[in-house]
Amino acid sequence: MDFTTFLWMTFGVFVTLATFSFLYKDNPFYKFAEHLVVGVSAGYFVIILWHNGLVPNLFQKLADGDWYYLWLNSSEPWYIVPAILGMLMWTRFSREYAWVSRWPMAMYIGISTGIAIPLTMSTYINKQLYATMTLSFDNFWGHGGFNLLDPYSGLSNLIIFVGVISALIYFFFSKAHEGWFGRVADLGIWTLMIGFGASFGYTVMARISLFVNRIQDVDDWGKVAWNSTVEPNPNYSNWFLVVFWGMVLIIVVYIIKEIVQHFSSKSKAQTQA
Amino acid sequence: MKRELPFVLVFIFGMFMLLQYFVPHEKSEWVYEFFLAWTIIIGIFALALGIWSLFKVSVDKIKMHRPGWGYSYVTLAGLFVMIAFGFTKRNGDAWGLYHLWWILGLLCLGAIMQVRAETNTGRKKMYFVVSLVLLAATVAISIFDNTWSFHFYTSEGLENTLFRNFFDYIMIPILSTMFALLAFFIASAAYRAFRARNLMATLLLFAALLVMSRFNPWIPGAEYVAKASTWLMNVPNLAAQRAIVMGIGLGVIATALKVILGIERGYMGKG
């Protein structure tokens, strides 16, 4: 690893620790990282959408035309229409003509909702219903013998079927949840509670794994700084350690400043009291 | 005209796109692709509004010297360098005046901000002259330095070393650390959520604990816990998620129909 890459890595570790410092309290390091990521993310998405959205869907379609003909001589001149509509969105900058931006907005919403209805019907409802209703009771007690923890057994299929129906019944509010209907709805709540618990646990584990990954990155940085990686770095120099100690110094100075500030404000409060 | 035409447009485009789905013909597919490109193009043009809004909020904060106004420079610098890097790339191995170019560009941006923020006329003029000089230098470098070039119509900018480094060493670490922070905050939420007060809360607690123990090799019977957790994720959890997804689907369809039929008009805004 060359020194420039190590400097980038150091900055990555700096912003990681700056972001973690929010656990203590809101502070200038966290604010710096927060504001930086807002700007960088916005710039990143501008570039990604430009290169992966606008270039293939607009510029390349009009590439064989000429600007002095306003691209009307290209093989697909109708792609100018969405570009003009897109520019009409900018009338929002004017109070007087802001209403014009409703036209492209209306087309956008019309197209999106029109596409969404059959696609949602297919993926969110039909396919889910199909998967639920195509019950198979083969290998009812599990594949290869008695195994209650086999998620693909006939029993598991039955539990999924009953779970889905009961949870849907719980969501059906046009009939009072009384009698057998209420008892099935109760089963639906239990199913949903298991689902929420599992989702919660899964989210916690996802965050923990992200945390572990960040700590690993800091650890890797320390190893590179001290040249204690599995394969020694041929480009290693003492400047790596200078950068390492520089960063440690920043952290230590900030902690000392916070401690001093804490005790001085405490003694000031005691004096005032 | 101001309000009626948008409703008509939503209805026509909505119904058209809804019906074309059921036409099994290649022309119908072409129309689908064509209008999908429309939404992408209009959406990207609309993104300019968002970027302008971010720019304006940051500039106003600097101009008014609101609390934390100095950090707005960081936001603007991040935004502009990322855009500059995404449209440029080195032609060979040499950097040439590339670093000077983007640093001068940033200084020019800072000087322009100062022109807007400054109330003293003399200093305002001074910053104006400085910003003009910096702008001229930036433009001159971009014209005469041949070690790098602009790439607006090809995606070479995505391979720019600095663009990638900003993504790998700034954006990803901060974003993933922000999500990792939730690991700590979720712990306090878990305390409140996981108290076994009744059957339902107990089920929630049991399911969450089982999923969290999934990859823990030290607990007794780790193999069976992992199996039970996998079963829980794939069977009762699947049933619950499936019912929720169906509910969401019905909600999406109902809302989309309300929009197409002009019952839901929130997207029009006021006026």
Side-chain angles (χ1 to χ4, degrees):
Chain A
M1 182 184 284
D2 59 0
F3 186 63
T4 316
T5 312
F6 177 69
L7 281 181
W8 278 107
M9 204 175 169
T10 306
F11 196 73
V13 169
F14 171 73
V15 290
T16 298
L17 296 177
T19 312
F20 272 133
S21 68
F22 186 72
L23 288 169
Y24 166 57
K25 70 174 186 183
D26 199 6
N27 64 77
F29 292 118
Y30 176 75
K31 280 202 180 92
F32 170 79
E34 186 190 28
H35 282 77
L36 184 63
V37 81
V38 169
V40 169
S41 305
Y44 176 78
F45 286 111
V46 167
I47 293 301
I48 291 295
L49 288 173
W50 178 282
H51 286 308
N52 296 342
L54 218 50
V55 170
N57 289 300
L58 180 65
F59 297 149
Q60 283 176 2
K61 304 277 185 192
L62 300 172
D64 54 346
D66 299 297
W67 65 269
Y68 45 85
Y69 284 120
L70 292 175
W71 295 279
L72 288 170
N73 61 337
S74 68
S75 55
E76 295 175 294
W78 42 85
Y79 276 94
I80 293 173
V81 179
I84 293 169
L85 286 169
M87 278 190 262
L88 286 182
M89 288 292 287
W90 297 346
T91 55
R92 289 223 163 192
F93 292 130
S94 150
R95 275 193 189 163
E96 200 179 341
Y97 297 106
W99 57 273
V100 179
S101 68
R102 285 180 190 155
W103 299 349
M105 182 64 91
M107 287 180 200
Y108 183 92
I109 288 176
I111 294 167
S112 312
T113 47
I115 290 174
I117 292 174
L119 287 183
T120 310
M121 192 70 201
S122 167
T123 52
Y124 279 49
I125 298 172
N126 291 356
K127 281 186 179 152
Q128 304 300 327
L129 278 175
Y130 180 80
T132 310
M133 292 194 301
T134 46
L135 273 179
S136 164
F137 295 119
D138 296 343
N139 299 303
F140 192 82
W141 297 110
H143 289 76
F146 186 77
N147 181 7
L148 284 178
L149 295 180
D150 180 1
Y152 309 107
S153 66
L155 178 64
S156 294
N157 276 335
L158 185 66
I159 292 171
I160 291 173
F161 179 78
V162 173
V164 172
I165 299 296
S166 58
L168 284 175
I169 283 177
Y170 170 71
F171 284 131
F172 189 76
F173 298 112
S174 300
K175 182 175 162 56
H177 288 184
E178 295 165 349
W180 70 269
F181 194 78
R183 282 194 288 279
V184 177
D186 281 346
L187 185 64
I189 304 177
W190 299 343
T191 310
L192 286 170
M193 282 323 232
I194 293 173
F196 292 142
S199 302
F200 192 94
Y202 203 72
T203 310
V204 171
M205 292 316 288
R207 307 298 180 199
I208 296 283
S209 69
L210 272 172
F211 175 71
V212 170
N213 172 263
R214 296 318 311 143
I215 297 303
Q216 275 175 342
D217 257 22
V218 176
D219 182 49
D220 287 347
W221 170 75
K223 281 179 183 157
V224 173
W226 287 92
N227 204 17
S228 59
T229 43
V230 179
E231 283 180 35
N233 184 3
N235 298 317
Y236 186 78
S237 71
N238 284 335
W239 285 109
F240 282 65
L241 274 180
V242 171
V243 172
F244 176 85
W245 285 116
M247 183 123 119
V248 171
L249 193 69
I250 292 172
I251 296 167
V252 170
V253 166
Y254 179 71
I255 291 171
I256 291 171
K257 186 208 133 214
E258 281 299 311
I259 292 170
V260 169
Q261 209 169 5
H262 173 76
F263 282 108
S264 66
S265 61
K266 209 173 178 182
S267 63
K268 207 180 272 180
Q270 276 173 350
T271 318
Q272 279 173 352
Chain B
M1 182 73 168
K2 285 184 182 177
R3 293 190 76 87
E4 288 76 15
L5 185 62
F7 290 140
V8 175
L9 287 173
V10 168
F11 182 78
I12 291 171
F13 278 91
M15 289 309 284
F16 182 77
M17 293 308 286
L18 176 59
L19 294 176
Q20 68 79 32
Y21 181 84
F22 300 100
V23 181
H25 195 273
E26 62 182 32
K27 279 191 177 156
S28 170
E29 209 167 289
W30 184 87
V31 168
Y32 172 80
E33 297 285 341
F34 178 60
F35 281 124
L36 202 61
W38 271 43
T39 57
I40 293 168
I41 294 165
I42 295 174
I44 294 172
F45 274 93
L47 177 78
L49 291 173
I51 297 299
W52 171 255
S53 175
L54 176 67
F55 179 75
K56 200 168 177 315
V57 165
S58 302
V59 169
D60 286 350
K61 210 169 163 184
I62 294 168
K63 198 176 167 185
M64 305 295 202
H65 279 216
R66 290 200 192 112
W69 61 274
Y71 297 108
S72 292
Y73 277 117
V74 178
T75 304
L76 290 175
L79 173 68
F80 281 95
V81 292
M82 212 55 182
I83 292 174
F85 295 156
F87 284 130
T88 51
K89 191 172 182 268
R90 281 187 293 168
N91 296 326
D93 290 332
W95 282 103
L97 298 174
Y98 187 73
H99 292 304
L100 185 66
W101 170 75
W102 68 264
I103 290 167
L104 284 179
L106 276 186
L107 290 174
C108 175
L109 182 76
I112 293 169
M113 294 297 112
Q114 285 303 114
V115 172
R116 287 180 65 98
E118 198 57 66
T119 47
N120 182 304
T121 321
R123 263 181 280 174
K124 203 174 188 129
K125 277 181 186 166
M126 186 194 77
Y127 280 121
F128 182 68
V129 173
V130 169
S131 64
L132 277 183
V133 170
L134 289 169
L135 185 67
T138 313
V139 172
I141 291 173
S142 47
I143 292 171
F144 297 111
D145 189 10
N146 293 324
T147 53
W148 57 277
S149 48
F150 284 99
H151 299 276
F152 290 109
Y153 301 115
T154 49
S155 57
E156 276 149 307
L158 296 178
E159 290 154 31
N160 184 339
T161 318
L162 286 175
F163 183 80
R164 295 182 77 92
N165 284 348
F166 263 65
F167 179 76
D168 290 338
Y169 296 109
I170 294 177
M171 205 172 134
I172 291 297
I174 301 178
L175 287 179
S176 52
T177 311
M178 279 189 174
F179 281 107
L181 274 181
L182 284 176
F184 295 91
F185 294 119
I186 220 165
S188 67
Y191 172 72
R192 268 165 277 177
F194 286 179
R195 274 180 299 176
R197 285 167 298 187
N198 51 39
L199 176 66
M200 282 184 280
T202 312
L203 279 174
L204 190 87
L205 167 76
F206 173 73
L209 286 180
L210 199 60
V211 172
M212 285 193 282
S213 321
R214 197 178 188 182
F215 301 115
N216 189 339
W218 291 297
I219 53 170
E223 191 193 340
Y224 295 103
V225 170
K227 273 186 185 169
S229 174
T230 306
W231 181 85
L232 188 103
M233 288 299 286
N234 287 315
V235 181
N237 175 54
L238 178 76
Q241 300 303 333
R242 203 170 262 173
I244 291 167
V245 159
M246 283 159 130
I248 291 171
L250 288 171
V252 168
I253 291 167
T255 311
L257 280 173
K258 276 168 80 179
V259 168
I260 289 175
L261 297 174
I263 301 165
E264 171 63 54
R265 301 175 175 196
Y267 64 90
M268 290 268 285
K270 290 174 189 167

